[in-house]
């Protein structure tokens, strides 16, 4: 007869599962859009960990929708192909040659890597871009920036159909123009537009910082839109955090219940946010 002693790690694991029950019940049937940034993808181990979290969410009744970026991978391929970029006010101009590389990297290598990782963990994922099934129609953001688009229409029917089939969409941030052009879309902007179209319960913006920081440098765990606007006006929110908080505000105005900006490099960041008392990162809601 085999015997074993109960150790503290096992007991702690059981307690964590028990404490997660109200949150498991809370999010059953909920739609959660996750923006997975290129900087958060990291190693194969990091990718596998993220994929396990997404599969677990699906198995406990959440409808996850993954929108990904891939800026570092695009930069590496442009360098490899010796395609030089022009910048206007610090923003890359996406010309015809560049947008071909962007589509190749995002819809090809990056998208399929995420799909493969989710499927390897027992999920059922399918890769898309905004060009598939008329998912996202774009208008040109600024003629000076070339083929950079802003979502103007999102057809969420295909995403609802995939959710009904318990399939996880993994979406590359590309869209179609009204005249058949291909537009590159900022990943956060894409995720916000999709979350608003789905009236998602949560939009999780995974990034490479811990969250929104106050004037004292400490991460603020909960914020309202009015506080975001005040902090932006006063310069407390600055730099790369501005587009993320703008995405959050637009998503909430579009019907998303809450947005969380959190560190995607932290282990199990999505699970910590959804299924624990303390959450992770900065929660923004009206």
């Amino acid at each position: 007869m085999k015997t074993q002693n109960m150790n503290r790690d096992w007991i702690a694991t059981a307690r964590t599962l028990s404490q997660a029950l109200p949150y498991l019940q809370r999010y059953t049937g909920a739609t959660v859009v996750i923006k997975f940034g290129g900087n958060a993808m990291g190693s194969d181990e990091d990718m596998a960990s993220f994929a396990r979290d997404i599969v677990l969410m699906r198995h406990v009744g959440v409808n996850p929708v993954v929108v990904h970026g891939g800026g570092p991978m695009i930069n590496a391929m442009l360098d490899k192909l010796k395609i030089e970029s022009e910048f206007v006010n610090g923003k890359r101009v996406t010309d015809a040659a560049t947008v071909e590389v962007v589509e190749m990297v995002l819809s090809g290598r990056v998208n399929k890597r995420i799909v493969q990782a989710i499927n390897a963990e027992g999920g059922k994922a399918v890769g898309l871009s905004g060009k598939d099934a008329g998912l996202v129609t774009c208008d040109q953001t600024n003629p000076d920036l070339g083929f950079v688009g802003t979502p103007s229409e999102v057809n969420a029917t295909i995403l609802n159909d995939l959710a009904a089939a318990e399939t996880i969409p993994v979406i590359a941030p590309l869209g179609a123009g009204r005249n058949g052009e291909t537009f590159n879309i900022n990943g956060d902007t894409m995720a916000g537009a999709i979350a608003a179209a789905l009236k998602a319960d949560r939009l999780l913006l995974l990034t490479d910082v811990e969250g929104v920081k106050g004037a004292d440098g400490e991460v603020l765990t909960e914020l309202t839109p009015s506080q975001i606007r005040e902090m932006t006006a006063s310069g407390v929110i600055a730099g790369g955090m501005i587009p993320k908080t703008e995405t959050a505000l637009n998503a909430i105005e579009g019907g998303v219940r809450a947005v969380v900006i959190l560190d995607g490099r932290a282990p199990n960041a999505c699970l910590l946010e959804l299924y624990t008392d303390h959450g992770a990162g900065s929660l923004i809601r009206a």
Side-chain angles (χ1 to χ4, degrees):
M1 181 180 294
K2 185 177 179 180
T3 62
Q4 61 183 12
N5 296 321
M6 297 293 285
N7 69 34
R8 291 180 181 178
D9 287 344
W10 299 341
I11 294 170
T13 299
R15 184 180 297 114
T16 299
L17 290 171
S18 177
Q19 291 172 345
L21 177 60
Y23 302 100
L24 293 169
Q25 295 169 327
R26 156 76 178 80
Y27 287 108
T28 297
T31 296
V32 176
V33 177
I34 304 101
K35 161 58 191 335
F36 190 34
N39 289 321
M41 291 176 190
S43 65
D44 289 342
E45 291 77 12
D46 293 333
M47 181 69 79
S49 176
F50 171 79
R52 278 193 298 273
D53 289 355
I54 297 300
V55 172
L56 189 150
M57 291 163 61
R58 175 61 263 180
H59 277 285
V60 296
V62 171
N63 296 316
V65 176
V66 178
V67 179
H68 65 82
M73 297 76 170
I74 292 170
N75 293 338
M77 183 59 71
L78 290 172
D79 290 342
K80 184 176 182 179
L81 297 175
K82 294 182 171 53
I83 296 176
E84 295 185 3
S85 297
E86 180 185 352
F87 290 84
V88 174
N89 296 324
K91 296 182 178 180
R92 187 196 303 273
V93 176
T94 304
D95 59 15
T98 301
V99 80
E100 286 188 9
V101 174
V102 168
E103 183 168 21
M104 176 178 68
V105 172
L106 293 180
S107 284
R109 177 168 176 254
V110 176
N111 187 272
K112 298 316 174 217
R113 182 185 173 207
I114 299 170
V115 168
Q116 185 177 13
I118 292 173
N119 291 341
E121 297 298 332
K124 185 170 66 170
V126 62
L128 304 167
S129 79
K131 294 173 64 177
D132 292 307
L135 177 58
V136 177
T137 302
C138 287
D139 291 321
Q140 190 175 41
T141 302
N142 181 341
D144 292 338
L145 296 178
F147 294 96
V148 176
T150 299
S152 54
E153 299 172 20
V154 178
N155 180 358
T157 301
I158 186 173
L159 302 181
N160 290 324
D161 290 344
L162 289 170
E166 299 186 358
T167 301
I168 301 166
V170 179
I171 305 170
L174 298 159
R178 300 181 188 279
N179 298 311
E181 314 96 321
T182 296
F183 283 111
N184 182 24
I185 306 169
N186 175 275
D188 291 337
T189 302
M190 181 80 154
I194 287 173
L198 292 171
K199 299 295 186 266
D201 192 274
R202 284 287 187 277
L203 167 60
L204 307 183
L205 297 176
L206 273 59
T207 183
D208 56 356
V209 295
E210 296 172 341
V212 181
K213 295 181 179 179
D216 60 358
E218 295 295 318
V219 175
L220 301 170
T221 57
E222 191 161 347
L223 292 154
T224 64
S226 61
Q227 289 172 323
I228 292 288
R229 295 186 185 98
E230 290 170 5
M231 292 170 65
T232 303
S234 66
V236 174
I237 292 176
M241 186 55 69
I242 291 177
K244 294 187 183 302
T245 52
E246 286 180 347
T247 292
L249 297 182
N250 291 336
I252 290 168
E253 289 175 3
V256 177
R257 190 166 180 270
V259 181
V260 185
I261 299 174
L262 66 163
D263 190 348
R265 301 166 302 176
N268 309 113
C270 295
L271 301 186
L272 285 171
E273 172 54 37
L274 295 179
Y275 301 123
T276 67
D277 285 332
H278 49 77
S282 301
L283 175 73
I284 303 167
R285 62 181 170 188

